[in-house]
Coordinates of all heavy atoms in Angstrom, one line a residue:
Chain A
G3 N -84.5 123.9 24.2 CA -83.5 124.0 25.3 C -82.5 122.9 25.1 O -82.4 122.2 24.1
V4 N -81.7 122.6 26.1 CA -80.7 121.5 26.2 C -81.5 120.2 26.3 O -82.4 120.1 27.2 CB -79.7 121.7 27.3 CG1 -78.8 120.5 27.3 CG2 -79.0 123.0 27.2
S5 N -81.2 119.3 25.5 CA -81.9 118.0 25.6 C -80.9 116.9 25.9 O -79.7 117.0 25.5 CB -82.7 117.6 24.3 OG -81.8 117.5 23.2
Q6 N -81.3 115.9 26.6 CA -80.4 114.8 27.0 C -81.2 113.4 26.8 O -82.4 113.3 27.1 CB -80.0 114.9 28.5 CG -79.1 116.1 28.8 CD -78.6 116.0 30.2 OE1 -79.0 116.9 31.0 NE2 -77.8 115.0 30.5
T7 N -80.5 112.5 26.2 CA -81.0 111.2 26.0 C -80.0 110.1 26.5 O -78.8 110.3 26.3 CB -81.4 110.9 24.6 OG1 -80.3 111.2 23.7 CG2 -82.6 111.8 24.2
P8 N -80.5 109.0 27.0 CA -81.9 108.7 27.4 C -82.3 109.5 28.7 O -81.4 110.0 29.3 CB -82.0 107.2 27.6 CG -80.6 106.9 28.1 CD -79.7 107.8 27.3
S9 N -83.5 109.5 29.0 CA -83.9 110.2 30.3 C -83.5 109.3 31.5 O -83.2 109.7 32.6 CB -85.3 110.6 30.3 OG -86.1 109.5 30.0
N10 N -83.6 108.0 31.2 CA -83.3 107.0 32.2 C -82.5 105.9 31.6 O -82.8 105.5 30.4 CB -84.6 106.4 32.8 CG -85.2 107.2 33.9 OD1 -84.7 107.3 35.0 ND2 -86.3 107.9 33.5
K11 N -81.5 105.4 32.3 CA -80.7 104.2 31.8 C -80.4 103.3 33.0 O -79.9 103.7 34.0 CB -79.4 104.8 31.2 CG -78.5 103.7 30.7 CD -79.0 103.0 29.5 CE -78.0 101.9 29.0 NZ -78.5 101.2 27.8
Y18 N -70.9 99.0 29.5 CA -70.6 100.3 28.9 C -71.8 101.1 28.6 O -72.8 100.5 28.1 CB -69.8 100.0 27.7 CG -69.5 101.2 26.8 CD1 -68.5 102.1 27.1 CD2 -70.3 101.5 25.7 CE1 -68.2 103.2 26.2 CE2 -70.1 102.5 24.8 CZ -69.0 103.4 25.1 OH -68.8 104.5 24.3
V19 N -71.8 102.4 28.9 CA -73.0 103.2 28.6 C -72.5 104.5 27.9 O -71.4 105.0 28.2 CB -73.8 103.6 29.9 CG1 -74.4 102.3 30.5 CG2 -73.0 104.4 30.9
E20 N -73.4 105.1 27.1 CA -73.2 106.4 26.5 C -74.4 107.3 26.8 O -75.6 106.8 26.7 CB -73.1 106.2 25.0 CG -71.8 105.5 24.6 CD -71.6 105.6 23.0 OE1 -72.6 106.1 22.3 OE2 -70.5 105.3 22.6
L21 N -74.1 108.5 27.2 CA -75.1 109.4 27.5 C -75.0 110.6 26.6 O -73.9 111.1 26.4 CB -75.0 109.9 29.0 CG -74.9 108.8 30.0 CD1 -74.8 109.5 31.4 CD2 -76.0 107.9 30.0
R22 N -76.1 111.1 26.0 CA -76.0 112.1 24.9 C -76.5 113.4 25.4 O -77.5 113.5 26.1 CB -76.8 111.6 23.7 CG -76.8 112.6 22.5 CD -77.8 112.1 21.5 NE -78.1 113.1 20.5 CZ -77.6 113.1 19.2 NH1 -76.7 112.2 18.8 NH2 -77.9 114.1 18.4
C23 N -75.9 114.5 24.9 CA -76.4 115.8 25.2 C -76.4 116.7 23.9 O -75.5 116.7 23.2 CB -75.4 116.5 26.2 SG -75.8 118.3 26.4
D24 N -77.6 117.3 23.7 CA -77.8 118.2 22.6 C -77.9 119.6 23.1 O -78.9 119.9 23.8 CB -79.0 117.9 21.8 CG -78.8 116.8 20.8 OD1 -79.0 115.6 21.1 OD2 -78.5 117.1 19.6
P25 N -76.9 120.5 23.0 CA -76.9 121.8 23.6 C -77.8 122.7 22.8 O -78.3 122.4 21.7 CB -75.5 122.2 23.5 CG -75.0 121.6 22.2 CD -75.7 120.2 22.2
L32 N -70.0 123.8 26.6 CA -70.8 122.7 27.1 C -70.2 122.1 28.3 O -68.9 121.9 28.4 CB -70.9 121.6 25.9 CG -71.9 120.4 26.2 CD1 -72.6 120.0 24.9 CD2 -71.2 119.3 26.9
Y33 N -71.0 121.7 29.3 CA -70.5 121.2 30.6 C -71.3 119.9 30.9 O -72.5 119.8 30.6 CB -70.8 122.3 31.7 CG -70.5 123.7 31.3 CD1 -71.3 124.5 30.5 CD2 -69.3 124.3 31.8 CE1 -71.0 125.8 30.2 CE2 -69.0 125.6 31.5 CZ -69.8 126.3 30.7 OH -69.5 127.6 30.4
W34 N -70.6 119.1 31.6 CA -71.2 117.9 32.2 C -71.0 118.0 33.7 O -69.9 118.3 34.2 CB -70.6 116.6 31.7 CG -71.0 116.2 30.3 CD1 -70.3 116.4 29.2 CD2 -72.1 115.4 29.9 NE1 -70.9 115.8 28.1 CE2 -72.1 115.2 28.5 CE3 -73.2 114.9 30.7 CZ2 -73.1 114.5 27.9 CZ3 -74.2 114.2 30.0 CH2 -74.1 114.0 28.6
F66 N -65.2 109.2 30.0 CA -64.6 109.9 28.8 C -65.7 110.6 28.1 O -66.9 110.2 28.1 CB -63.9 108.9 27.9 CG -63.2 109.6 26.8 CD1 -62.0 110.2 27.0 CD2 -63.6 109.5 25.5 CE1 -61.2 110.8 26.0 CE2 -62.9 110.1 24.4 CZ -61.7 110.8 24.7
A67 N -65.5 111.8 27.6 CA -66.5 112.5 26.9 C -65.9 113.1 25.6 O -64.7 113.4 25.5 CB -67.1 113.7 27.7
V68 N -66.8 113.2 24.6 CA -66.4 113.8 23.3 C -67.4 114.8 22.8 O -68.6 114.7 23.2 CB -66.2 112.6 22.2 CG1 -65.0 111.7 22.6 CG2 -67.5 111.9 22.0
R69 N -66.9 115.6 21.9 CA -67.8 116.6 21.2 C -67.2 116.9 19.8 O -66.7 117.9 19.6 CB -67.9 117.9 22.1 CG -69.0 118.8 21.7 CD -68.9 120.1 22.5 NE -70.1 120.9 22.2 CZ -70.1 122.3 22.4 NH1 -69.0 122.9 22.9 NH2 -71.2 122.9 22.1
P70 N -67.3 115.9 19.0 CA -66.5 115.9 17.7 C -66.8 117.1 16.8 O -65.9 117.5 16.0 CB -66.8 114.6 17.1 CG -68.1 114.1 17.7 CD -68.1 114.7 19.1
E71 N -68.0 117.6 16.7 CA -68.3 118.6 15.8 C -68.7 119.9 16.5 O -69.3 120.8 15.9 CB -69.5 118.1 14.9 CG -69.1 116.9 14.0 CD -70.2 116.4 13.2 OE1 -71.3 117.0 13.3 OE2 -70.0 115.5 12.4
S73 N -70.9 120.4 18.7 CA -72.3 120.6 19.1 C -72.7 119.5 20.1 O -72.5 119.6 21.3 CB -73.2 120.5 17.9 OG -74.6 120.7 18.2
V74 N -73.2 118.4 19.6 CA -73.6 117.2 20.4 C -72.4 116.7 21.2 O -71.3 116.6 20.6 CB -74.3 116.1 19.6 CG1 -74.5 114.9 20.4 CG2 -75.6 116.6 19.0
S75 N -72.6 116.3 22.4 CA -71.6 115.7 23.2 C -72.1 114.3 23.7 O -73.3 114.1 24.0 CB -71.2 116.6 24.4 OG -70.2 115.9 25.2
T76 N -71.1 113.4 23.9 CA -71.4 112.1 24.5 C -70.5 111.8 25.6 O -69.3 112.0 25.5 CB -71.3 111.0 23.4 OG1 -72.1 111.3 22.3 CG2 -71.7 109.6 24.0
L77 N -71.1 111.5 26.8 CA -70.4 111.1 27.9 C -70.3 109.5 27.9 O -71.4 108.9 27.8 CB -71.0 111.6 29.2 CG -70.4 111.2 30.5 CD1 -69.0 111.8 30.6 CD2 -71.2 111.6 31.7
K78 N -69.2 109.0 28.0 CA -69.0 107.5 27.9 C -68.5 107.0 29.2 O -67.5 107.5 29.8 CB -68.1 107.1 26.8 CG -68.5 107.8 25.4 CD -67.5 107.4 24.3 CE -67.9 108.1 23.0 NZ -67.2 107.6 21.9
I79 N -69.1 105.9 29.7 CA -68.6 105.3 31.0 C -68.4 103.8 30.7 O -69.3 103.1 30.3 CB -69.6 105.5 32.1 CG1 -70.1 106.9 32.2 CG2 -69.0 105.0 33.4 CD1 -71.2 107.1 33.3
Y90 N -76.9 112.5 35.6 CA -75.9 113.2 34.8 C -76.5 114.4 34.1 O -77.4 114.2 33.2 CB -75.2 112.2 33.8 CG -74.3 111.2 34.6 CD1 -74.9 110.1 35.2 CD2 -73.0 111.4 34.8 CE1 -74.1 109.2 36.0 CE2 -72.2 110.6 35.5 CZ -72.8 109.5 36.1 OH -72.0 108.6 36.9
L91 N -76.0 115.5 34.4 CA -76.6 116.8 33.8 C -75.6 117.4 32.8 O -74.4 117.4 33.0 CB -76.8 117.8 34.9 CG -77.8 117.4 36.1 CD1 -77.7 118.4 37.2 CD2 -79.2 117.4 35.5
C92 N -76.2 117.9 31.8 CA -75.5 118.6 30.7 C -76.0 120.1 30.8 O -77.2 120.4 31.0 CB -75.7 118.0 29.4 SG -75.0 118.8 28.0
A93 N -75.1 121.0 30.5 CA -75.4 122.4 30.4 C -74.7 123.0 29.3 O -73.6 122.6 28.9 CB -75.1 123.1 31.7
G106 N -79.9 120.9 30.9 CA -80.9 119.9 30.4 C -81.6 119.2 31.6 O -81.2 119.4 32.8
P107 N -82.5 118.3 31.3 CA -83.3 117.6 32.3 C -82.5 116.5 33.0 O -82.9 116.0 34.0 CB -84.5 117.0 31.6 CG -84.0 116.9 30.2 CD -83.0 118.0 29.9
G108 N -81.4 116.1 32.4 CA -80.6 115.0 33.0 C -80.9 113.6 32.5 O -82.0 113.4 32.0
T109 N -79.9 112.8 32.7 CA -80.1 111.3 32.5 C -79.9 110.6 33.8 O -78.8 110.8 34.4 CB -79.1 110.8 31.5 OG1 -79.4 111.3 30.2 CG2 -79.2 109.2 31.4
R110 N -80.9 109.9 34.3 CA -80.7 109.1 35.5 C -80.1 107.8 35.2 O -80.8 107.0 34.5 CB -82.1 109.0 36.2 CG -82.0 108.2 37.5 CD -83.3 108.2 38.2 NE -83.8 109.5 38.6 CZ -83.4 110.2 39.6 NH1 -82.6 109.7 40.5 NH2 -84.0 111.4 39.8
L111 N -78.9 107.5 35.7 CA -78.2 106.3 35.4 C -78.3 105.4 36.7 O -78.0 105.9 37.8 CB -76.8 106.5 35.1 CG -75.9 105.3 34.9 CD1 -76.3 104.5 33.7 CD2 -74.4 105.7 34.8

Side-chain angles (χ1 to χ4, degrees):
Chain A
V4 178
S5 62
Q6 293 186 245
T7 54
S9 56
N10 280 284
K11 176 71 177 177
Y18 168 83
V19 297
E20 290 189 352
L21 312 178
R22 176 188 169 105
C23 172
D24 277 90
L32 185 146
Y33 314 79
W34 284 98
F66 188 71
V68 295
R69 195 185 185 200
E71 298 178 357
S73 178
V74 170
S75 176
T76 305
L77 178 65
K78 309 180 180 193
I79 310 174
Y90 289 82
L91 298 170
C92 177
T109 294
R110 181 176 298 279
L111 175 66

